[in-house]
Amino acid sequence: MERQFGKLRLELMQGDITRQSDLDAVVNAANAQLTTGGGVAGAIHRAAGPELDQACRPLAPIEPGQAVSTDAFGLPNQRLIHCLGPVYGVDEPSDQLLAACYRNALKEAGQHQLGSVGFPAISTGAFGYPVREAAGIALQTVVSEGSVIEGLTLIRFVLFSNEDLAVHEEILVRMA
Ligand code: AR6
């Protein structure tokens, strides 16, 4: 599904965040140390290769809601943006910290003049954020913050499961 908000196109698809070769940047659902792990971070570090670990080291640790960026190394993108989502029920206020992730990731994209960015569903895996709640925050935030970033024309949510895609579609369809 896709929707246009002014000059910004918002796309939702089922897929793998490491295989978005037509996007300038993709976002990593990172840990505070910016090391590999499970889920998105594991897939990104495997695809990017060991140089990513070295590039991340001087930038760590990061705080919940923060975003930093590196070269994308073996990934087919120009840049990688690393966000630390809140652990649900632990890092509070979770909703504001999750919104800050998306806002700060988009700011980072703006600073590097990136025209297209792909996001996974940050915090909804190992960090336990309920998908429906997280999707509402994520979609609202990227629409309001994305349209003020100069040069940004495409945001794509790459959801790993069809169930997660369906939840995001339900919310996007109803958004004003
Ligand atoms: N492409 C797109 N989405 C994916 C992929 C992929 N390749 N792999 C998993 N997902 P998670 P978090 C989905 O756990 O909750 C790591 O160990 C997944 O199904 O990656 O922010 C880090 O090191 C889920 O819907 O991120 C951190 O310690 C969503 O992406 C911690 O997990 C996010 O799941 C971060 O936890």
Side-chain angles (χ1 to χ4, degrees):
M1 173 189 285
E2 61 179 67
R3 276 192 66 181
Q4 193 76 29
F5 295 88
K7 61 175 177 53
L8 181 68
R9 186 160 90 243
L10 184 50
E11 295 180 355
L12 305 179
M13 64 171 280
Q14 187 280 324
D16 182 337
I17 195 77
T18 65
R19 289 169 182 254
Q20 306 302 311
S21 55
D22 60 330
L23 298 179
D24 293 339
V26 292
V27 174
N28 180 16
N31 53 61
Q33 296 303 324
L34 303 175
T35 55
T36 187
V40 171
I44 281 186
H45 275 264
R46 271 194 303 279
E51 284 169 306
L52 177 60
D53 197 54
Q54 286 188 349
C56 282
R57 219 164 284 165
L59 304 174
I62 62 168
E63 301 286 323
Q66 203 184 337
V68 294
S69 72
T70 62
D71 193 282
F73 301 104
L75 281 167
N77 314 96
Q78 279 175 47
R79 209 142 178 94
L80 252 177
I81 300 171
H82 308 265
C83 281
L84 178 60
V87 177
Y88 190 69
V90 174
D91 297 316
E92 298 288 357
S94 291
D95 55 347
Q96 287 175 36
L97 291 170
L98 187 63
C101 277
Y102 287 94
R103 185 171 60 246
N104 289 326
L106 292 173
K107 273 192 197 155
E108 195 66 27
Q111 276 161 16
H112 290 272
Q113 280 125 35
L114 302 164
S116 52
V117 181
F119 283 98
I122 297 169
S123 283
T124 67
F127 285 178
Y129 216 117
V131 171
R132 189 170 293 274
E133 269 180 62
I137 294 164
L139 292 167
Q140 290 289 351
T141 306
V142 301
V143 169
S144 61
E145 304 287 335
S147 31
V148 299
I149 306 281
E150 180 78 24
L152 183 69
T153 56
L154 171 61
I155 294 174
R156 178 182 297 155
F157 279 80
V158 182
L159 290 323
F160 215 37
S161 70
N162 282 315
E163 290 77 13
D164 289 353
L165 173 63
V167 169
H168 284 73
E169 285 180 343
E170 262 179 57
I171 294 171
L172 183 59
V173 121
R174 283 196 250 114
M175 260 170 64

